Amino acid sequence: MDRPVSALHRATAQHGVRDLGLRGMITLRGEMAAMAGICVDLTGAAMPGMGRIEQAGDKALAWMSPDEVLIMVPHDAVSEALARIAAALNGTHHLAADVSDARALIGVTGPDAREVFAKLAPADLHPASFGPGQFRRSRLGQVAAAFWLDADGQFSVICFRSVADYTFALLAQSALDGPVDFF
């Protein structure tokens, strides 16, 4: 059996851009109220409100749309999580899909991390508008992405695996170019 590897093979770049490795990701669609119990049980995180991510250690729940949540668990826990979802939501209309290997996870840290993203995303990233726990589905350049800010100041971005190299290079170049001192 092949051993899973991250899309970026643990790459790092100057100025705090790095591959965050494998992460289990399950997209779960259905009635939020019906899904809440299993989501909280799987992660220990609270159900996120609109535009939010809730984290509990290495697990998280991210609001994707009014009927969709992204469940993040350790990569090797996805099969068990899917089985638990199927059992908990048996008889309830839902869709659960393992999207772990179709995604890449990249982190950006450092004093200019906010500006790295602000130069690339058409989103208001001013500290008064975008803080820890907020989650955005947007673009970085012309690439679809979702990103959030952790309480420790790290930005994390999820993109499609097929554009991981490009997204990593885009973030690395933005970081290398330095701040524009907007914030």
Side-chain angles (χ1 to χ4, degrees):
M1 181 164 147
D2 290 335
R3 196 177 126 241
V5 295
S6 72
L8 297 164
H9 306 283
R10 304 300 277 176
T12 60
Q14 294 177 348
H15 307 288
V17 179
R18 65 188 173 96
D19 173 21
L20 295 179
L22 295 172
R23 184 82 173 267
M25 295 183 213
I26 299 167
T27 186
L28 180 59
R29 297 193 78 140
E31 177 66 40
M32 283 289 189
M35 300 184 310
I38 187 62
C39 289
V40 171
D41 286 348
L42 286 172
T43 63
M47 279 300 282
M50 183 171 67
R52 304 281 307 166
I53 186 169
E54 299 292 340
Q55 298 178 277
D58 61 353
K59 299 175 183 174
L61 293 170
W63 186 92
M64 300 297 281
S65 72
D67 70 344
E68 181 182 4
V69 66
L70 181 66
I71 301 168
M72 290 180 258
V73 295
H75 193 268
D76 60 0
V78 170
S79 293
E80 178 189 343
L82 285 168
R84 289 179 60 192
I85 290 167
L89 298 177
N90 186 28
T92 303
H93 180 72
H94 73 284
L95 170 69
D98 177 2
V99 297
S100 310
D101 296 333
R103 307 285 190 267
L105 185 60
I106 303 167
V108 179
T109 58
D112 301 324
R114 184 177 298 274
E115 290 206 31
V116 168
F117 277 82
K119 290 187 281 182
L120 300 172
D124 183 357
L125 295 176
H126 189 278
S129 300
F130 190 83
Q134 290 185 290
F135 185 86
R136 289 285 186 276
R137 292 177 73 174
S138 186
R139 295 185 320 273
L140 295 178
Q142 293 301 311
V143 174
F147 54 88
W148 67 95
L149 176 62
D150 291 339
D152 64 3
Q154 174 177 278
F155 276 83
S156 298
V157 61
I158 298 170
C159 66
F160 290 111
R161 184 181 186 97
S162 60
V163 295
D165 287 328
Y166 172 79
T167 305
F168 186 87
L170 189 67
L171 290 164
Q173 186 63 54
S174 180
L176 183 62
D177 290 344
V180 293
D181 297 323
F182 182 71
F183 299 118

